[in-house]
Structures are given as structure tokens and as C-alpha cells.
Amino acid sequence: MQHDISRSKKTSLEKKMQSLGVYDDDIEEKFIRSSGKGGQKVNKSSTCVYLRHIPSGVEVKCQKERSQVLNRFLARRILVNKIEEIVLGELSEQKKKAEKIKRQKRKRSKRAKEKILRDKAQRSQKKSQRSYKPGIDELNSE
């Protein structure tokens, strides 16, 4: 079973690392035996990857996949995202996404709810007036 990471993903990660000034020489890498499901295979192979960025002190541990190669890539990506969040702070993509979700889930004020309900009522009234309802005279003529 081969666990190759696409070239485009590798290059995008390398570019991101360069833009943030993260170099492989600054990263301390250890391989640990994974824990959890997997039985004997887990007890024999060291697929869990531990990374530590020495200048910033950011630490990452990754054991999402059964492959060490994939875990190395994923750990690097997580590490870079964490460093980006520290460096860019407010501007980082993940923070933007989190803020957007927060805004969407935030409860509306009572005044805003009332306005929305008023608008809905007006719209439904408008629509109900559009529909054709035969009058009493038309029903009698049949």
C-alpha cells in the first residue's frame, strides 16, 4: 500500500513554510509508537510523529493515519498552521473561518427577530393577495 502525497500538496506546504521562515533545520522530529486501535501492528511500528519548532517552541503530535509518511506530512502542515496563527494572529485563515461561524451562530437580538417576522408577514400577505380566488358572483354563474 503506497501513501504518496501529491506533488502539488508538497510544494504548497514548502512555499508556506518558506513564507513563514520555517526551515527543516529548525524542526526537531521524533517518531513514537502510536497508541489506540491496531493491535500488534501498533505495538511494533513507530507511526506517531512528534515535531517541535525550536525557535518558537511550538509542538505537534500526529497519529491520524497508519502511515508514518502521511503522519509526517500532516504534522508539518499542522505545525505550519499553528505558527501562521501565531505570526499573523487576526489575519490567519483559520481564525477568519472561526469568526465567521461564530457570527453565524450568534443569537439575534429581540428587535432584529421582530423585524424579520414583520417582513415575513408582509411578504406572505403580498403573496396571498396574488392568488386567484373566485368571487361569490363567479361561483353562482356556474
Side-chain angles (χ1 to χ4, degrees):
M1 197 155 132
Q2 202 160 16
H3 298 285
D4 285 335
I5 296 123
S6 69
R7 190 170 286 152
S8 63
K9 285 184 180 180
K10 280 183 184 178
T11 54
S12 71
L13 179 65
E14 288 168 1
K15 284 179 184 176
K16 203 170 189 181
M17 285 174 74
Q18 283 179 345
S19 69
L20 291 169
V22 178
Y23 305 102
D24 282 331
D25 300 339
D26 297 338
I27 297 174
E28 180 186 319
E29 187 173 43
K30 291 181 187 175
F31 301 103
I32 309 163
R33 289 204 176 115
S34 297
S35 59
K37 298 175 187 173
Q40 291 178 338
K41 175 72 176 155
V42 167
N43 299 333
K44 292 177 189 172
S45 57
S46 300
T47 54
C48 180
V49 178
Y50 168 84
L51 297 179
R52 184 169 162 259
H53 185 244
I54 298 165
S56 65
V58 176
E59 296 178 348
V60 168
K61 197 174 182 183
C62 181
Q63 63 176 32
K64 289 182 182 177
E65 301 294 329
R66 289 173 64 182
S67 158
Q68 192 182 73
V69 175
L70 271 176
N71 283 334
R72 281 183 79 196
F73 173 77
L74 293 172
R76 274 180 168 56
R77 194 157 60 177
I78 294 166
L79 181 78
V80 168
N81 287 339
K82 279 189 174 186
I83 292 171
E84 180 185 39
E85 201 168 304
I86 291 167
V87 171
L88 299 178
E90 287 289 320
L91 303 173
S92 73
E93 288 180 41
Q94 287 182 335
K95 217 162 200 166
K96 282 182 184 177
K97 286 178 186 175
E99 287 298 319
K100 183 179 179 185
I101 290 168
K102 232 185 235 181
R103 280 194 308 273
Q104 288 172 341
K105 289 186 175 184
R106 189 169 49 212
K107 285 187 176 180
R108 289 191 173 98
S109 68
K110 198 171 187 178
R111 193 174 176 184
K113 281 183 192 173
E114 287 171 355
K115 184 180 183 238
I116 290 169
L117 288 174
R118 247 192 337 267
D119 291 344
K120 254 186 168 178
Q122 285 177 343
R123 213 172 298 117
S124 82
Q125 189 180 8
K126 218 185 258 184
K127 281 188 171 187
S128 66
Q129 288 174 352
R130 283 187 210 147
S131 64
Y132 173 74
K133 294 177 186 167
I136 295 173
D137 298 334
E138 291 174 357
L139 289 174
N140 290 337
S141 65
E142 289 177 3

